[in-house]
Amino acid sequence: MDRKQRIAIFTTASLPWMTGTAVNPLFRAAYLARDGKRSVTLVVPWLSRKHQELVYPRNITFDSPSEQEKYCLQWLEERTGFKSDFTLRFYPGKYALDKMSILAVGDISEIIPDEEADVAVLEEPEHLTWFHHGKRWKKKFRLVIGIVHTNYLAYVKREKNGRVQAFLLKYLNNWVVDIYCHKVIRLSAATQDLPRSIICNVHGVNPKFLEIGERKRQQQESGNTAFTKGAYYIGKMVWGKGYKELLKLLRDRQKELTGLELDLYGSGEDSDAVKDAAEKLEITVKVFPGRDHADPIFHEYKVFLNPSTTDVVCTTTAEALAMGKIVVCANHPSNEFFKQFPNCRTYDDSKGFVAQTQKALADEPEKLTDAHRHELSWEAATERFLEVAELDIAPVVKKLEKSRSLSFMSVSQSVERNLEDASAYIHYVTSGSEFSRKVFGAVPGSLEPDEELCRELGLSPRKSSSKN
């Protein structure tokens, strides 16, 4: 009873890929382990060299998992200011070029030994189980918690035959999450409703942004000008990341926005198209390559414009608020968490966008209070996670479930387990089926690790997967 609770966090990406599912689980592991009350393991994908070259920026590659582990932990320590006390492990993965996502191959639940299988946190549970054909997560772990990061339906709808694909994907997501998760945390209501789910933002911001915000607050309190530049936006330069909405707003309302100067920062496959669209506007919109949002070049901007509605909870919006800036964003479920902050200005339509943008440029940001700073922090995000996941009372709940003796409850649970087992078996059989291919497109070769991955991770070659 005195042993530490063991938490294994599985995610779909790893640094140096600066995506939300690489960064946020890394911080979550660090802050869950920080007080020493829990034994935490973060499980991330390992890619062969040819797949690393497709994914990781600035030609960064690794010859071994230990080399990548060192990179991740050093990056984390530089931002948190403390050495992290959790274990980092790797599972075999392959990059699906057409979906710009990493897929797990083999039974990744086996990365955690059975004797350590206590609590599993699946970051992007639908993504991790679309093609899962290994041991049942619920059978292996006492408690399985899913955290939904991505509004996949919004992205799929933008593709060819998007509405049909989104319809199929919606039901597939419901199916796999119901099979494999006891509880689901949705970061915002922008995601689809899922079985046994609760809405709560359990993400925080990189502490570096709060430090920048504190310096800005000190400048404001001393009477100095804290912000000397106007408006900007930063994000991966693909149409689905808010650029389409932003440029449309600017084009439709450019007469009313005369005099506005806006800087866009980002890199991505739509960079050239975004530049072309910006050059056709009558207002001044400059386009620059992407860079770290904590870069000093961003410290002086006063207003962050973010019209994106595809995010679940936008990381850059949280970072901008932490830096003390005014944020102008859409009145959308993905931004519900940010409405509590006085520097968050929302709009309902293009007319409202113009009004809020002009007002933001004329105003000075309100100084961040200690309470607001805490609400944005990873300390607060960890507190929210522990509360909604009910990790501290989960062992008691499990005992109560086992102690129920009423016959009708026993029969009900037996029927439920049989239905789940049947669903899991069907999913096991169909996980690489034509249905899956219709929804997701091509799968990157075999869903089992090849010899190269096995060698790099020290796995037995062609290891067979356990059934559900």
Side-chain angles (χ1 to χ4, degrees):
M1 293 296 295
D2 294 331
R3 76 170 177 83
K4 291 182 181 179
Q5 190 175 56
R6 299 176 187 268
I7 301 176
I9 303 172
F10 293 79
T11 190
T12 58
S14 176
L15 297 183
W17 197 12
M18 294 297 293
T19 187
T21 54
V23 174
N24 290 309
L26 193 60
F27 280 115
R28 194 182 325 284
Y31 281 88
L32 278 173
R34 189 179 185 184
D35 61 9
K37 295 179 180 178
R38 303 164 198 89
S39 175
V40 180
T41 301
L42 176 63
V43 189
V44 302
W46 167 258
L47 301 175
S48 62
R49 187 65 170 264
K50 61 184 178 183
H51 286 262
Q52 290 182 40
E53 292 170 352
L54 293 172
V55 180
Y56 298 151
R58 302 186 301 279
N59 298 315
I60 299 174
T61 56
F62 306 97
D63 293 324
S64 66
S66 60
E67 187 180 338
Q68 187 168 3
E69 176 184 9
K70 182 179 179 181
Y71 177 95
C72 292
L73 295 180
Q74 182 176 335
W75 182 94
L76 185 62
E77 184 178 348
E78 288 172 356
R79 284 149 184 82
T80 62
F82 62 85
K83 283 188 177 294
S84 297
D85 186 24
F86 66 87
T87 302
L88 189 63
R89 293 180 181 170
F90 292 83
Y91 67 79
K94 293 185 179 181
Y95 184 66
L97 188 60
D98 64 325
K99 295 303 174 188
M100 296 182 288
S101 296
I102 297 172
L103 297 179
V105 292
D107 182 5
I108 67 172
S109 69
E110 293 183 348
I111 302 299
I112 301 297
D114 290 346
E115 62 272 15
E116 297 178 17
D118 191 9
V119 178
V121 178
L122 305 186
E123 310 266 357
E124 293 201 315
E126 65 278 68
H127 185 147
L128 285 168
T129 57
W130 283 330
F131 300 105
H132 181 69
H133 50 280
K135 186 176 292 186
R136 282 277 305 283
W137 290 95
K138 280 184 180 178
K139 282 189 175 180
K140 173 152 185 168
F141 291 88
R142 174 183 58 79
L143 180 65
V144 182
I145 302 163
I147 301 179
V148 179
H149 289 241
T150 306
N151 187 353
Y152 285 108
L153 302 187
Y155 288 112
V156 168
K157 284 178 182 176
R158 294 170 182 253
E159 299 180 2
K160 185 179 179 182
N161 301 319
R163 292 197 174 276
V164 175
Q165 288 191 67
F167 176 81
L168 295 172
L169 183 59
K170 179 181 178 180
Y171 284 94
L172 181 60
N173 286 346
N174 270 285
W175 186 31
V176 295
V177 168
D178 193 27
I179 292 170
Y180 294 115
C181 294
H182 294 103
K183 179 175 292 191
V184 177
I185 300 170
R186 297 161 56 203
L187 299 178
S188 78
T191 61
Q192 72 180 83
D193 194 12
L194 290 164
R196 297 179 296 280
S197 66
I198 185 170
I199 296 171
C200 182
N201 177 21
V202 294
H203 286 178
V205 299
N206 180 334
K208 290 294 182 185
F209 294 101
L210 290 168
E211 292 174 9
I212 295 167
E214 178 58 20
R215 291 198 294 272
K216 290 299 178 183
R217 182 169 73 169
Q218 291 172 2
Q219 286 180 310
Q220 289 174 302
E221 290 175 345
S222 63
N224 296 323
T225 301
F227 302 96
T228 59
K229 295 181 182 179
Y232 77 109
Y233 176 62
I234 180 174
K236 185 178 181 182
M237 205 161 278
V238 295
W239 289 120
K241 284 293 186 180
Y243 289 96
K244 185 175 183 178
E245 292 86 348
L246 179 56
L247 289 168
K248 184 179 187 304
L249 286 166
L250 297 176
R251 184 185 69 239
D252 293 347
R253 294 285 180 169
Q254 53 190 329
K255 298 295 184 184
E256 298 156 86
L257 291 169
T258 300
L260 173 68
E261 295 184 3
L262 176 64
D263 294 339
L264 306 180
Y265 292 85
S267 301
E269 47 267 38
D270 293 326
S271 293
D272 291 339
V274 169
K275 289 177 184 177
D276 290 342
E279 289 172 358
K280 293 175 183 177
L281 297 173
E282 295 178 13
I283 56 180
T284 302
V285 179
K286 298 177 183 177
V287 181
F288 302 95
R291 57 176 67 201
D292 192 319
H293 199 189
D295 191 292
I297 199 171
F298 296 111
H299 296 186
E300 299 305 311
Y301 285 101
K302 181 171 69 172
V303 178
F304 180 67
L305 301 180
N306 184 9
S308 176
T309 56
T310 57
D311 291 298
V312 175
V313 173
C314 185
T315 301
T316 50
T317 294
E319 292 168 350
L321 288 170
M323 287 190 281
K325 306 179 188 301
I326 297 174
V327 170
V328 176
C329 58
N331 184 12
H332 185 263
S334 62
N335 294 318
E336 194 65 32
F337 175 80
F338 301 125
K339 290 180 182 179
Q340 65 183 295
F341 302 100
N343 286 329
C344 177
R345 315 281 180 84
T346 61
Y347 62 88
D348 293 303
D349 51 28
S350 60
K351 183 179 178 181
F353 171 78
V354 172
Q356 292 289 16
T357 298
Q358 291 175 334
K359 188 174 188 306
L361 288 168
D363 291 347
E364 283 301 311
E366 290 195 31
K367 290 177 284 189
L368 278 178
T369 66
D370 290 339
H372 289 143
R373 285 168 49 80
H374 177 72
E375 197 67 13
L376 288 165
S377 72
W378 266 105
E379 285 87 354
T382 304
E383 292 167 6
R384 293 192 294 267
F385 172 75
L386 290 171
E387 181 179 355
V388 298
E390 299 179 300
L391 290 187
D392 292 336
I393 68 170
V396 178
V397 171
K398 196 70 177 180
K399 285 182 179 180
L400 287 173
E401 287 178 352
K402 287 183 177 180
S403 66
R404 289 170 179 162
S405 58
L406 291 175
S407 60
F408 78 90
M409 288 297 297
S410 182
V411 170
S412 174
Q413 289 177 343
S414 177
V415 170
E416 184 179 351
R417 280 195 299 270
N418 288 338
L419 288 172
E420 275 198 357
D421 288 344
S423 293
Y425 179 73
I426 293 169
H427 179 242
Y428 170 75
V429 172
T430 62
S431 58
S433 68
E434 184 62 27
F435 172 78
S436 294
R437 284 190 286 274
K438 282 182 179 178
V439 177
F440 303 113
V443 177
S446 170
L447 287 174
E448 291 293 336
D450 55 30
E451 290 185 8
E452 183 180 6
L453 283 172
C454 289
R455 183 177 64 254
E456 291 169 340
L457 290 170
L459 303 174
S460 300
R462 297 174 184 172
K463 191 171 184 179
S464 62
S465 295
S466 303
K467 288 189 177 181
N468 289 268

